[in-house]
Amino acid sequence: MRVNRILLSSSLVVVALVIQVSVLARLHLPGAVPDLMLLTVLGLALVYGHVGGALVGFGAGLLADLAPPADHAAGRYALVLCVIGYLAGLVKPETGQLKSATGPMVVVVAAAVGSTLLYAGVGALVGDTAARHVGLGSLLFTAALYDLLLAPFVVPGIMALARRAENDPLAETNSAAKATDISSGWLSGGTGLKIGSQRNGLRVKAARARMARAGRIKGVKRL
């Protein structure tokens, strides 16, 4: 991943984690908790693609696993968000622009349901049966509902920031200038003699043309 992607992703993930832990986790809503981390990963994956989405998801999930008050095994949520980020990146628009909000909303609902199922499945493998006491059906419904309500305020903004970082005019100018310098250096280094001879030949021809023109003008004046 490029430096601008890493900086932007890290900043957004940290901000999302702080809001998730300090605000959303304390709302005491029935069922699941709105997953701002998941929505952040989805927004970045829809711009960066499946590889970038998987990397961002793994980093975000690992940070959530280690941040207090996490009460589950480290790596559990990292695995979930890594898989979700990879799958979400597969549906990245080819042109980078979304034609309608239907596609992202479907992705949000599928990601909310899939992440809940995957998290519960991994928990069952490691002996965590908390989802059974709450009710898996209630968790799936509330997770999809809360994330769907929160998504319009999060996903478009994150995608816009990611696109702006990808289309940095300063970075494009620097890269174009660098490419020009490299190409000109390669031409002058690899074919410098030919370019020099061509320039000298053009100068000689121009001088001869000026001399012939001056001779014609003098002949006209003498007449």
Side-chain angles (χ1 to χ4, degrees):
M1 295 179 68
R2 292 196 292 265
V3 176
N4 57 345
R5 287 188 177 187
I6 295 175
L7 294 177
L8 179 62
S9 302
S10 302
S11 302
L12 292 175
V13 166
V14 170
V15 172
L17 179 62
V18 172
I19 298 176
Q20 181 78 37
V21 173
S22 60
V23 178
L24 298 179
R26 299 184 180 183
L27 294 178
H28 301 293
L29 297 173
V33 176
D35 199 340
L36 186 60
M37 295 285 285
L38 175 65
L39 297 178
T40 302
V41 172
L42 290 179
L44 294 174
L46 290 175
V47 178
Y48 295 158
H50 59 284
V51 176
L55 293 175
V56 172
F58 179 80
L62 187 61
L63 185 62
D65 288 332
L66 299 177
D71 56 352
H72 54 269
R76 180 177 172 184
Y77 200 48
L79 174 62
V80 173
L81 288 187
C82 180
V83 174
I84 296 299
Y86 179 85
L87 296 177
L90 293 177
V91 298
K92 168 190 172 182
E94 295 181 359
T95 59
Q97 300 292 334
L98 298 174
K99 297 181 179 180
S100 66
T102 304
M105 294 299 102
V106 173
V107 172
V108 168
V109 174
V113 174
S115 62
T116 304
L117 289 174
L118 186 58
Y119 187 84
V122 176
L125 293 177
V126 298
D128 185 2
T129 59
R132 297 180 181 178
H133 302 289
V134 178
L136 185 58
S138 176
L139 283 177
L140 292 175
F141 176 76
T142 53
L145 178 62
Y146 297 154
D147 291 347
L148 188 61
L149 294 176
L150 186 61
F153 303 98
V154 177
V155 177
I158 290 177
M159 294 181 66
L161 289 175
R163 288 199 193 98
R164 181 173 297 180
E166 288 292 288
N167 300 324
D168 188 359
L170 181 60
E172 291 180 357
T173 303
N174 292 337
S175 61
K178 185 177 180 182
T180 303
D181 294 339
I182 292 174
S183 61
S184 61
W186 180 82
L187 289 173
S188 60
T191 58
L193 294 177
K194 294 182 180 180
I195 293 176
S197 62
Q198 290 176 359
R199 288 179 178 175
N200 292 332
L202 292 176
R203 289 175 181 174
V204 171
K205 290 181 179 179
R208 290 178 179 175
R210 285 196 297 268
M211 291 175 63
R213 190 179 305 162
R216 288 196 298 269
I217 294 174
K218 290 181 180 179
V220 172
K221 287 183 177 179
R222 288 176 182 176
L223 292 176

